[in-house]
C-alpha cells in the first residue's frame, strides 16, 4: 500500500508565519510514516470567478494536489474575524470540481490573541461542510496565544500543543485508514 499522503495548507503568506510553523511542526511529529507536503503558491491563483473557469495552470495544479492527497490539514490565521482571502479563494476554486468532497480534512486556527482565531475556524468549518469534507469533533483545533507556544523559527515551546497536534494527526490518520478500508 502506498504511503499516506498529507497535503498541508497554510492560510498565511507571511514568512515566519506561526501557522506555517505549526504545519512544519506537525510534519515533524508525523515523521517518515507519511508523505507530508506543505503547499506553496496560494498567492499565485487568479481571483475566483465562476464564469471564467478556463484552464489555469496554478489552479489545476492545486486541484490535482488536493485530489491525490489522502488527507488535508489547513492551518490558518484569522483576519478581521474571518478566513484570509487567499485561502478562501483557493477553496472556492474547488467547489465546482469537488476535490475536497469525501476527503478527510483537519482545520486549525492559531492566533496571538486569547480567542485562538475561533471565528475564522468556525467560518472555515462551514466552508469545509459545503465542500463535503470528512471530519468529526476531533478534526479541528483553535490555538490561542500562539506566540508563547511556538518560536519564530518553528520550535514547539509548549508540550500541550505538541500533544494536541499529535492527537489531531492520529484522528486524521484514523479517518484516512477507515476510508481506505471501505474502498
Ligand atoms: C489585517 C490583519 C487582521 C487581523 N485580524 C485578526 C483577527 O481578527 N483575529 C485574530 O485573532 N488575529 C488577527 N490578526 C493577527 C493575526 O492573528 C497575527 O498577525 C498572526 O500572527 C498571523 O498569523 P501568521 O503568524 O501565521 O502569519 C490580524 C492581523 C492582520 C495583519
Amino acid at each position: 500500500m502506498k504511503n499516506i499522503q498529507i497535503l498541508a495548507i497554510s492560510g498565511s503568506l507571511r514568512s515566519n508565519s506561526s501557522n506555517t510553523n505549526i504545519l512544519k511542526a506537525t510534519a515533524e511529529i508525523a515523521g517518515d510514516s507519511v508523505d507530508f507536503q506543505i503547499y506553496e503558491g496560494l498567492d499565485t491563483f487568479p481571483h475566483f470567478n465562476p464564469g471564467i473557469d478556463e484552464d489555469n495552470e496554478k489552479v489545476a495544479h492545486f486541484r490535482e494536489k488536493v485530489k491525490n492527497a489522502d488527507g488535508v490539514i489547513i492551518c490558518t490565521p484569522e483576519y478581521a474575524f474571518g478566513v484570509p482571502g487567499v485561502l478562501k479563494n483557493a477553496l472556492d476554486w474547488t467547489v465546482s470540481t469537488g476535490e475536497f468532497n469525501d476527503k478527510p480534512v483537519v482545520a486549525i486556527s492559531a492566533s496571538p490573541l486569547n480567542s485562538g482565531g475561533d471565528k475564522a475556524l468556525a467560518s472555515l468549518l462551514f466552508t469545509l461542510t459545503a465542500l463535503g469534507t470528512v471530519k468529526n469533533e476531533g478534526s479541528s483545533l483553535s490555538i490561542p496565544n500562539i506566540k508563547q507556544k511556538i518560536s519564530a523559527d518553528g520550535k514547539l515551546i509548549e508540550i500541550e500543543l505538541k500533544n494536541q497536534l499529535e492527537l489531531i494527526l492520529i484522528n486524521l490518520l484514523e479517518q484516512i485508514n477507515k476510508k481506505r478500508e471501505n474502498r
Side-chain angles (χ1 to χ4, degrees):
M1 199 184 266
K2 77 174 171 68
N3 252 3
I4 287 179
Q5 299 198 17
I6 292 184
L7 184 69
I9 302 169
S10 175
S12 174
L13 302 175
R14 208 170 62 81
S15 59
N16 296 328
S17 149
S18 335
N19 285 275
T20 308
N21 281 339
I22 289 165
L23 292 175
K24 288 178 182 165
T26 309
E28 267 188 42
I29 291 168
D32 296 335
S33 57
V34 300
D35 178 352
F36 196 107
Q37 197 185 351
I38 300 180
Y39 193 85
E40 283 178 18
L42 290 193
D43 53 337
T44 62
F45 294 9
H47 294 152
F48 177 63
N49 182 337
I52 311 178
D53 196 359
E54 90 280 24
D55 289 338
N56 179 279
E57 196 189 317
K58 307 286 185 189
V59 171
H61 177 252
F62 178 65
R63 286 171 169 166
E64 195 63 17
K65 285 282 180 193
V66 175
K67 187 176 159 201
N68 292 335
D70 295 297
V72 177
I73 301 181
I74 300 174
C75 189
T76 186
E78 177 175 279
Y79 289 155
F81 290 0
V83 174
V86 73
L87 174 60
K88 183 64 164 58
N89 186 54
L91 297 177
D92 285 348
W93 275 113
T94 70
V95 172
S96 62
T97 43
E99 289 78 12
F100 276 99
N101 192 40
D102 209 25
K103 183 84 58 192
V105 178
V106 155
I108 304 173
S109 64
S111 167
L113 307 181
N114 264 329
S115 55
D118 56 352
K119 291 168 230 43
L121 183 64
S123 174
L124 176 59
L125 289 169
F126 271 126
T127 301
L128 294 179
T129 299
L131 294 175
T133 67
V134 174
K135 54 185 165 63
N136 62 18
E137 63 289 344
S139 309
S140 66
L141 175 65
S142 155
I143 310 171
N145 308 313
I146 187 61
K147 303 278 189 220
Q148 282 108 65
K149 299 180 180 179
I150 196 162
S151 67
D153 60 354
K155 298 274 169 299
L156 278 172
I157 300 166
E158 198 204 49
I159 188 76
E160 194 197 335
L161 177 55
K162 185 165 186 259
N163 294 340
Q164 288 173 321
L165 295 175
E166 263 165 11
L167 281 179
I168 212 155
L169 192 59
I170 289 167
N171 182 60
L172 179 65
L173 295 176
E174 276 173 7
Q175 296 197 51
I176 291 169
N177 285 326
K178 211 183 287 173
K179 216 184 131 187
R180 282 184 169 192
E181 282 161 19
N182 290 338
R183 249 184 227 152

